[in-house]
Amino acid sequence: MKKQDKTHTTKDIQPLKILVYPLAPQNPYQNLLYSSLSDNHPVQIKFLKMPTTLQGFLFQICIGLYELVSDRIRGYRILHIHWLYQLSFPGKAIWPWLSHAVTTLLVRVFLAAADLLGYRIIWTVHDVVPHFKMTFNDVAMSQLLINRSDTLLMLSSATLDKIDEYGLNYDPTKAIIIPHGNYIGSYPNNISKSMARQKLGINEDSFAYLFFGTVLPYKNASGMLEAFKSIVKEHSEAIIIIAGNPGTPEIRKELKDAKTQLGDRLILHADFVPDQEVQTYFNASDVVVFPYLRITNSGVALLAASFGKPIVAPLLGAFKDLPAKSGVFYKAGDQAELEAAMKQTITKSSTLGSMSHAALQYAQSLSWDTIASMTYDVYRQQRLDSTPEKHDGTSHRL
């Protein structure tokens, strides 16, 4: 990993101008990171905003190029990319091949323009490849972004494993691990377990599993429900809560069918959960279940830890960074082990207190002030490294 130079110079008196793409208002990660950066370091953050409607999308590349040029003239030298999904064709494409062709062109033009204008490009690798197909070849798109980037920020070592898994090439000296911060204090947390259960109509003596977040195919809610159906035959006190917007019409129908079959044993909120209601679902639960089939990073796991909740998760991706004592972990993709892990939490409920303590301690160790300082050091080093010959098109690329 790249060793970060923490020797400050007189140049640090001037605020670093950082252009960030995109703005993701429903993801608290950006707000927490950039709020801490702005509060503690001399930075000037600007989000690169481009239209996401179909009408605006037709002019997106022109607007994007104008913004890149004008911001470069105003002194922005660092472009921090988190995701590229806003460059994808909006809505459901009538002709997928056309959507993929347009998106491929936009990505290539956007990255080439940023490089040509002399931006130092930083990519935080939240996902090595998108969850939904964007271009003709999303792996090749990720390779292009790696090639164009001057620094790769990883939320965990699992990201490097995933990059290797896809066979992508990268320069290890460009890779820096800066972990995801906690969500302590980011959401209201002022109601008791009893109050939360009253709001949801859950009995005090019930044992509640929770699945939280957007319900997508790779998150394997169907496997979790199958395991739960087996568990409830032996444990009448078991219930399951699913709170999150279904990602596809098929998943919405599956959840409705499960509700019909399970009745009161399934508390279903098949919609986006407002910030003020997040505490209701976590405080009402005993255990949070992550039955995922694949994952690189998981902010929801840190959200669970921030509420001090024991976790059931596969030994997969960033879940491997969680303390072993914070929950029950099982072999990824093994339905029998998923069921056994869920069952263990209800049969050995006396251990949940120590798991909760370990989860909360882990969350508390991930301070946003520390993470912001690490990120600022990366920004500062990028400015110090910036030279006119950097963008000669030869020496700095993989």
Side-chain angles (χ1 to χ4, degrees), residues 143-260:
Q143 183 66 72
L144 175 63
L145 184 51
I146 288 173
N147 293 349
R148 293 288 189 185
S149 297
D150 297 282
T151 298
L152 302 172
L153 296 186
M154 316 290 182
L155 300 180
S156 73
S157 59
T159 307
L160 294 172
D161 296 337
K162 184 64 70 172
I163 286 176
D164 291 336
E165 182 181 320
Y166 279 106
L168 297 170
N169 298 312
Y170 70 99
D171 181 350
T173 65
K174 293 183 178 183
I176 299 173
I177 295 177
I178 299 180
H180 195 304
N182 65 50
Y183 289 104
I184 297 172
S186 300
Y187 296 93
N189 187 14
N190 50 29
I191 64 173
S192 65
K193 183 175 184 178
S194 176
M195 292 172 62
R197 290 196 165 196
Q198 282 182 359
K199 290 184 70 173
L200 297 179
I202 300 173
N203 294 331
E204 288 294 322
D205 58 353
S206 295
F207 186 93
Y209 297 98
L210 171 65
F211 178 101
F212 188 90
T214 306
V215 190
L216 296 167
Y218 74 91
K219 293 184 179 181
N220 191 33
S222 57
M224 176 190 66
L225 285 169
E226 286 304 311
F228 177 76
K229 290 172 186 177
S230 177
I231 291 169
V232 81
K233 293 175 182 178
E234 302 176 21
H235 299 276
S236 59
E237 74 275 23
I239 67 164
I240 193 162
I241 307 167
I242 297 180
N245 200 25
T248 67
E250 293 78 14
I251 290 177
R252 184 175 293 277
K253 182 181 184 304
E254 181 182 350
L255 293 179
K256 286 184 176 179
D257 291 344
K259 176 63 177 175
T260 300

Side-chain angles (χ1 to χ4, degrees), residues 89-104:
F89 196 91
K92 187 174 182 179
I94 299 174
W95 300 294
W97 65 268
L98 179 60
S99 172
H100 298 154
V102 171
T103 303
T104 300

Side-chain angles (χ1 to χ4, degrees), residues 248-291:
T248 67
E250 293 78 14
I251 290 177
R252 184 175 293 277
K253 182 181 184 304
E254 181 182 350
L255 293 179
K256 286 184 176 179
D257 291 344
K259 176 63 177 175
T260 300
Q261 182 178 357
L262 291 169
D264 291 342
R265 295 191 184 281
L266 170 59
I267 307 296
L268 179 61
H269 178 81
D271 203 347
F272 177 76
V273 179
D275 287 358
Q276 63 270 21
E277 293 300 326
V278 170
Q279 63 170 329
T280 301
Y281 295 98
F282 279 96
N283 287 333
S285 67
D286 292 291
V287 175
V288 184
V289 184
F290 299 91

Side-chain angles (χ1 to χ4, degrees), residues 383-396:
R383 185 175 68 177
L384 294 174
D385 288 347
S386 182
T387 59
E389 58 269 19
K390 181 263 178 188
H391 285 275
D392 63 1
T394 56
S395 62
H396 67 289

